[in-house]
Amino acid sequence: MTACTWREVLVFTVGLISGTGCSLTSKMLLTATSIGKTGEPELFEDPLFQSWVMFVAMTCALPIHFAYQWYQARVFTEERRALRQGMVAVSELKHAEMPLWTYFILAIPSCFDLTATVLCMFGLLYISASVYQLLRGACIVFVAIMKHYLLKDRLKAYNWLGVLFLTVAITLVGLTSVLGAPPEEGNEKNPLVGVLLILCGAFVQSLQYAFEEKMMTGEVSAPPLLVIGMEGLWGTVICTFVLYPLAFVLPGNDHGRLEDPANTWAMIKNSPTVQVILVWYFIFIFLYNTFGVLVTYLLNSVWHAILDNFRPCTVWATDLFIYYYVAMGAFGEPWTQWSFLELGGLAGLLLGTAT
């Protein structure tokens, strides 16, 4: 078992706080209203744009990585100068060059992240932020299976008991979303669709976590900031030059398109509220993805999935607080008759994670 020091605890805590903010601001964006390009008020339901913003934020890790690499190279040069003066031993000099292929192979986890994010963003349109976050707990089930069978990191019997608890919890949470859906006339958003989309996203996300762990602990150990930055760069390129053109030509509910970037830009310009939420979303998504990869690097991919499983507690508690004490019903999530079922799912999720 990986030992935890104050450094690992700090990284995990920052990841938890920023991850909570990420989920809440993401849902707030999807439920915010602004004036579109036609002059009519619309919901800011643009999941592809949120995915694009996420990858741009992740790309910001690259300048930090290269600045740190420059600092290390400078220290290495000074050590070589000291060696010539007989001040240090040869064995102390360490400055490994990163192979060029590493920058390209990191497109693979970027594709996983892109697919998982788009699936989850579309799923979030159908369900609440707390249920969304609880369902993403399925990721640890998939990660555990992959670590056992693909990474050959064998799980013990009590670990499989935890997986069973998690499966039961996810089932309860899925029922909460389906049974607790308000019967509004003309509401075409079936929460079951959201549940299935997020479960598919959790599976793809588990592939990303396992791949990242392999990249950072294999023969060529890729630095965490390089991993997150290159994933962001590749994701930005794919979103901009592949997904957005497809979304523009495919038919949909956004002014006849699957997602209309012109309408998205109009709604951003016309709403200070959307602008503020978007800035906070950018900050939270950068911090969460950066510290999430650091969790995988310092601990392992299971701990990254555990981080996601702790987020439902903070997301739901914050959502309830915002609804009743901050936004007065404008944002957040109310307590319903099915919330006890969700609470039971949350307890099962935490029990399974602890096991």
Side-chain angles (χ1 to χ4, degrees):
M1 184 177 179
T2 307
C4 290
T5 65
W6 65 268
R7 181 180 61 174
E8 283 79 12
V9 172
L10 179 62
V11 168
F12 188 90
T13 302
V14 175
L16 179 61
I17 294 172
S18 56
T20 301
C22 177
S23 295
L24 293 175
T25 51
S26 177
K27 184 62 177 180
M28 290 170 70
L29 276 174
L30 292 174
T31 56
T33 303
S34 181
I35 304 300
K37 66 179 185 180
T38 60
E40 298 294 327
E42 303 177 33
L43 286 174
F44 194 80
E45 295 182 334
D46 296 316
L48 182 57
F49 174 74
Q50 281 200 34
S51 303
W52 182 83
V53 170
M54 179 193 75
F55 284 115
V56 172
M58 291 167 65
T59 306
C60 293
L62 278 180
I64 303 174
H65 164 75
F66 287 119
Y68 181 68
Q69 289 294 104
W70 172 82
Y71 170 76
Q72 281 192 319
R74 184 177 178 181
V75 171
F76 180 72
T77 302
E78 292 176 356
E79 287 179 344
R80 290 186 63 184
R81 188 180 301 115
L83 175 62
R84 287 195 295 268
Q85 298 172 1
M87 296 172 60
V88 296
V90 178
S91 59
E92 294 181 35
L93 295 179
K94 297 178 181 178
H95 183 68
E97 294 291 336
M98 191 61 55
L100 183 62
W101 61 264
T102 305
Y103 295 90
F104 292 94
I105 202 171
L106 286 172
I108 296 175
S110 178
C111 290
F112 288 149
D113 199 5
L114 175 61
T115 304
T117 302
V118 171
L119 286 171
C120 289
M121 286 295 103
F122 275 98
L124 187 55
L125 290 170
Y126 295 83
I127 59 178
S128 66
S130 64
V131 172
Y132 157 81
Q133 197 57 63
L134 282 161
L135 287 172
R136 292 195 68 177
C139 183
I140 196 173
V141 176
F142 299 130
V143 168
I145 293 172
M146 288 180 190
K147 281 185 71 67
H148 185 85
Y149 291 105
L150 297 181
L151 300 181
K152 306 302 180 183
D153 188 356
R154 301 300 181 185
L155 301 182
K156 296 180 174 58
Y158 64 84
N159 296 134
W160 288 113
L161 181 62
V163 170
L164 177 62
F165 283 137
L166 289 169
T167 305
V168 173
I170 292 160
T171 303
L172 289 175
V173 172
L175 287 173
T176 301
S177 182
V178 175
L179 296 175
E184 298 178 3
E185 186 177 350
N187 184 10
E188 300 178 355
K189 293 183 178 179
N190 184 352
L192 183 59
V193 175
V195 171
L196 294 176
L197 285 172
I198 291 170
L199 289 178
C200 290
F203 172 73
V204 178
Q205 198 94 66
S206 67
L207 295 173
Q208 176 198 346
Y209 291 169
F211 193 93
E212 286 175 348
E213 180 179 350
K214 194 71 175 176
M215 283 297 300
M216 290 186 290
T217 59
E219 294 180 4
V220 179
S221 181
L225 287 175
L226 177 63
V227 171
I228 196 71
M230 287 307 301
E231 285 184 18
L233 179 61
W234 285 115
T236 302
V237 169
I238 296 170
C239 265
T240 304
F241 298 106
V242 179
L243 293 187
Y244 253 123
L246 283 174
F248 189 76
V249 299
L250 291 175
N253 296 325
D254 191 2
H255 299 274
R257 309 184 191 281
L258 190 61
E259 190 164 315
D260 187 350
N263 191 55
T264 301
W265 177 243
M267 287 193 287
I268 293 172
K269 289 194 302 181
N270 294 330
S271 174
T273 301
V274 169
Q275 294 168 17
V276 171
I277 298 173
L278 194 56
V279 169
W280 279 108
Y281 175 71
F282 186 92
I283 295 170
F284 283 134
I285 200 71
F286 169 73
L287 291 174
Y288 171 68
N289 280 282
T290 301
F291 281 86
V293 169
L294 284 173
V295 167
T296 302
Y297 177 71
L298 295 174
L299 297 164
N300 56 46
S301 56
V302 170
W303 275 100
H304 195 162
I306 289 173
L307 171 63
D308 286 340
N309 278 14
F310 271 92
R311 284 167 63 192
C313 305
T314 52
V315 168
W316 195 18
T318 309
D319 233 1
L320 290 170
F321 180 79
I322 290 174
Y323 185 87
Y324 288 106
Y325 297 103
V326 179
M328 302 305 176
F331 292 108
E333 179 182 348
W335 182 273
T336 69
Q337 60 177 335
W338 300 105
S339 294
F340 287 105
L341 189 60
E342 185 175 350
L343 187 62
L346 179 61
L349 192 69
L350 292 177
L351 181 61
T353 301
T355 307

